[in-house]
Structures are given as structure tokens and as C-alpha cells.
Amino acid sequence: MIRSRLLMLATSACALALASCSGGSDNASAPAGDSVSVGVLQSLTGTMAISEITVKNAEMLAIEEINATGGVLGKQINALVEDGASDPSTFAQKASKLIESDGVSTVFGGWTSASRKAMLPVFERTKNLLWYPVQFEGNECSPNIMYSGAQPNQQALPALEWAVAQGYKSFFLVGSDYVYPRTANLILKKHIEKGGMQVLGEAYVPLGGTDFSGVIAKIAQAKPAIIINTLNGDSNVAFFKQMQAAGISPKTMPVMSFSIGEQEAQAMGAGLVEGSYAAWNYFQSLPSDANAKFIAAYKAKFGKDAAITDPMVHGYLDVYAWKAAVEKAKSFEPDAVRKAAASLGGFATPMGTVSFAANQSLVQKAYIGKLKADGQFEIIADSGKDIAPEPYDALAFPGKTCKL
């Protein structure tokens, strides 16, 4: 049950504690030479760059830290960075290049589900392993992906539960037109209908779209109690600006967003989205020594005004989890690494202690935040306990289970 409370996460461990999973440096499967290559594949250009560049930064920070403390199985990590360019086909092409031409041992990256689904056949064909750091719609379970971002039961459904607890019983769903928003909203609609509530409208715009005049007219006419926003990338800027121009603000009509974090709020201008809500598994304002240490390290490298988001932390912890899994398996071989990752048990991260379940998704808490004028979120609710990931929602996908 989501409940409001003051969060005092008393963990003094840092993400570097993952190194304690080391199983030694004698490794018959290690790449030749003194280094091991990995891929970092995020959108550095295009509509998703507003969100993904900082995820790349966090992944590179983890790699730099690991190299500074001796690397992995005695090898330095050689990061090969590629630009997915906010285009699914480019992600697939770059994933193929990294694996088949550059010979990387694993890849960290992706954001949109369209990019992930475009890459999936590449990873399954080559038997390599993708570490995916972003919340998604579930309805997928592959042995070639480690899913650290939230499943729907770890973000979308806790957000709905919180909204209902506040008395919101009618909803308008707005999203980018691709698989994540449409599937997440399908799941939400099933639960809203089961609860005897109403979806008063549903609208989608192309990823990167900037014309929301028709959508906003529908919202104004429907008068929902709350808007559920699954827009991604810089479409959010246009949406909130046009909402404001139409006289609709988060203070007069609540908005719950699933892809706006501190970085996006900073880029948009916090005043534009102040008072809106977001559901994540991490906020920069989480109080813990491990989080404070991570924030300080990131700002020391990327600037004192840098904002930290949930996908950034997931990208960061993915690199450390890969290191721990390699050292437990004593191998860089992807199948051995994924099996080791799923059996690591709890490990310390900036977002608290987390673990990978047998279905290769992360066990983690859910939080609800309200955006303040300074661009930070006040955490107003949390799940109270860790939530086990469920790739297939029982209402939306009855009978489906994860088989690896």
C-alpha cells in the first residue's frame, strides 16, 4: 500500500560495495589483453537526447570509478560510446556494430521501448546481454536483457493507487505514440475499469511531436480529475507550455508523469511543471549517505548544477551489477553473467538496497514525488516495501508468465 511518510533511508553503503561480490581474477573466458570492451548506447541527438545524455554520463561515471579501483577481473573497461539518435533502427544498427564488429562483452543503454524492441533481435541472435535502465510496459521477458527499470507494477500501478487514494476517479491519458505509452495505458485502463472509475479520454502524438492543440482541447472538454502523462523526450516541453497558454496548469489540473525527472524539469524550466507529480523508483532528494556520495561524484564531474534522475541511477547501478556478476561468474560470457546477476542478492546502490529477481528485473521501491519550484521533487508517498517485478500484468495479459 502506498502511504505518505517521511523517508529516512539509513544506508551508509555506496554502490562500490558491489565489488565485494568478486570471485577472483583467474578467468578462462576473459577477453585477451588488459582491457574488456563494453558498449554504451544512448541517444546523444534527437528528441530523446534531453533525457539520455545524462544516462550516458552516469554509465561512464561508473566505468571510470571501476577502472580507478582496478577494473573487472584485473581488466580495465574500454567503453565504446554510440549514438542511437532517438531512432529505433539506428539503435539496432549500432547494437549490431558494437557486438559483431567491435566485440563488446555487454551493452548498457536504450530508453524508449521502441529502441529496446528494435535491439532485442540483435541481442538474442548474438547471445549478448543488454542492461536496460528505464521504466517500461512489461509484456516482455528475454534472457538477453537485464531490466533494471520499473515494470508497470513498480511505477504505473503504484501511481494509480496513489491517485485513487487522493480521491481522483476520472482520468485522461496522454502519451507518445509508440509501444510503451500505449501498453502502459492499456494496463492502466484495465485497472481503472476494474475499480469502477472512468477514462474520459486518451490521446497520442508522434514521438517528438510538438502540436498539442487538439489534445488540450479534448482535455479541457473532458475535465478529468487527473492527467496521466506518458509523453517522452522534448514533447513534454511543448505539452506543458501549450497547457499553460490554454490556462491549464498542474496546480489547477493535476498531472502525473512517468518520464519527467529532475533533468527534464531543469531543461524545461521548473516553473512550467511546478506542482505536477511523478512516479519513479528514485528521486535525487532521497536521504542516504550512498545517494549523497553518488550525487557529489556526479556533480564533481559534470557540474554543480547537474540534476540526477531515476534512469541515470539505474544506468549507474547496471554497470556495477555487471561488474559484480562478472566477478561472481569469473567470466565475461553473457549467459554466465546474466545467471550470476540474477543470484547476486541484495546490493547497495544510491537508491538503496536492490536485487535482481529470477526474471532478470529489479526488485525495488516505488515513490511518488511532487515537483517544487527548485526543480527537485518532494517525496510524498512510497510503497513502504520493495516490490517484486511482474513482467506480465494479470488483467492485461492473463495467463502469460516469464520463462527464461
Side-chain angles (χ1 to χ4, degrees):
M1 178 68 68
I2 293 283
R3 67 181 190 274
S4 297
R5 66 185 180 96
L6 294 175
L7 294 166
M8 296 301 291
L9 300 178
T11 175
S12 59
C14 84
L16 289 174
L18 283 166
S20 65
C21 297
S22 172
S25 58
D26 183 16
N27 174 34
S29 301
D34 297 326
S35 67
V36 57
S37 293
V38 303
V40 173
L41 179 51
Q42 305 287 174
S43 293
L44 309 182
T45 58
T47 189
M48 292 307 302
I50 186 176
S51 299
E52 293 192 52
I53 288 174
T54 54
V55 179
K56 181 268 296 182
N57 290 346
E59 290 160 346
M60 294 299 292
L61 175 63
I63 290 167
E64 180 181 288
E65 290 175 346
I66 291 169
N67 281 340
T69 57
V72 183
L73 295 182
K75 294 180 179 293
Q76 292 286 288
I77 304 170
N78 175 35
L80 304 179
V81 180
E82 292 286 354
D83 179 11
S86 305
D87 175 64
S89 62
T90 301
F91 269 95
Q93 293 164 8
K94 293 298 180 69
S96 179
K97 173 186 177 295
L98 285 166
I99 297 166
E100 299 181 291
S101 297
D102 298 329
V104 300
S105 293
T106 199
V107 177
F108 305 97
W111 181 295
T112 69
S113 289
S115 71
R116 187 192 70 253
K117 286 188 174 296
M119 291 188 286
L120 179 56
V122 176
F123 283 91
E124 292 188 335
R125 174 172 53 80
T126 60
K127 310 298 184 186
N128 208 285
L129 189 61
L130 172 67
W131 297 77
Y132 181 68
V134 184
Q135 87 284 0
F136 72 118
E137 72 284 353
N139 197 30
E140 180 182 292
C141 178
S142 172
N144 298 99
I145 300 182
M146 300 299 299
Y147 305 89
S148 66
Q151 295 277 1
N153 72 307
Q154 298 173 312
Q155 186 198 33
L157 294 182
L160 176 61
E161 185 180 337
W162 174 85
V164 172
Q166 309 314 302
Y168 301 130
K169 300 297 176 67
S170 62
F171 304 82
F172 195 102
L173 311 178
V174 58
S176 299
D177 193 5
Y178 71 98
V179 62
Y180 163 64
R182 286 191 174 273
T183 309
N185 286 338
L186 169 65
I187 293 168
L188 286 169
K189 285 188 292 184
K190 294 288 187 181
H191 286 264
I192 289 168
E193 291 165 4
K194 182 183 179 183
M197 298 169 288
Q198 292 182 295
V199 176
L200 299 181
E202 184 175 4
Y204 298 92
V205 298
L207 186 64
T210 58
D211 182 4
F212 289 92
S213 55
V215 173
I216 293 171
K218 291 178 182 178
I219 291 172
Q221 183 177 17
K223 296 181 173 59
I226 189 169
I227 298 167
I228 302 293
N229 170 27
T230 50
L231 294 169
N232 269 265
D234 51 16
S235 290
N236 276 299
V237 181
F239 175 65
F240 279 96
K241 282 186 176 180
Q242 291 170 40
M243 286 274 285
Q244 185 182 66
I248 305 172
S249 76
K251 295 178 181 179
T252 59
M253 184 174 289
V255 181
M256 170 66 74
S257 297
F258 295 163
S259 293
I260 292 181
E262 294 85 347
Q263 161 65 22
E264 290 78 11
Q266 184 184 77
M268 294 164 66
L272 190 62
V273 284
E274 180 185 356
S276 66
Y277 301 100
W280 289 105
N281 308 102
Y282 167 91
F283 287 108
Q284 185 175 335
S285 54
L286 275 174
S288 75
D289 291 343
N291 189 35
K293 184 173 183 178
F294 167 69
I295 292 169
Y298 188 90
K299 289 189 173 188
K301 185 171 181 63
F302 297 104
K304 63 181 180 62
D305 296 325
I308 314 296
T309 67
D310 173 292
M312 292 165 62
V313 171
H314 282 87
Y316 178 84
L317 75 84
D318 280 350
V319 179
Y320 273 102
W322 170 76
K323 166 182 159 55
V326 166
E327 294 179 337
K328 181 174 182 178
K330 301 181 182 179
S331 172
F332 290 96
E333 196 275 319
D335 190 58
V337 171
R338 74 172 184 86
K339 290 176 180 177
S343 62
L344 284 174
F347 53 86
T349 76
M351 57 187 281
T353 299
V354 298
S355 62
F356 279 101
N359 59 25
Q360 297 183 187
S361 289
L362 203 66
V363 180
Q364 53 195 325
K365 288 183 179 179
Y367 300 97
I368 306 297
K370 185 174 183 180
L371 193 62
K372 302 187 297 181
D374 63 358
Q376 290 296 308
F377 286 90
E378 175 190 2
I379 299 172
I380 59 174
D382 75 273
S383 59
K385 61 181 181 180
D386 292 338
I387 302 173
E390 297 175 4
Y392 297 101
D393 180 77
L395 289 182
F397 310 108
K400 295 187 75 171
T401 58
C402 179
K403 297 179 181 179
L404 296 173

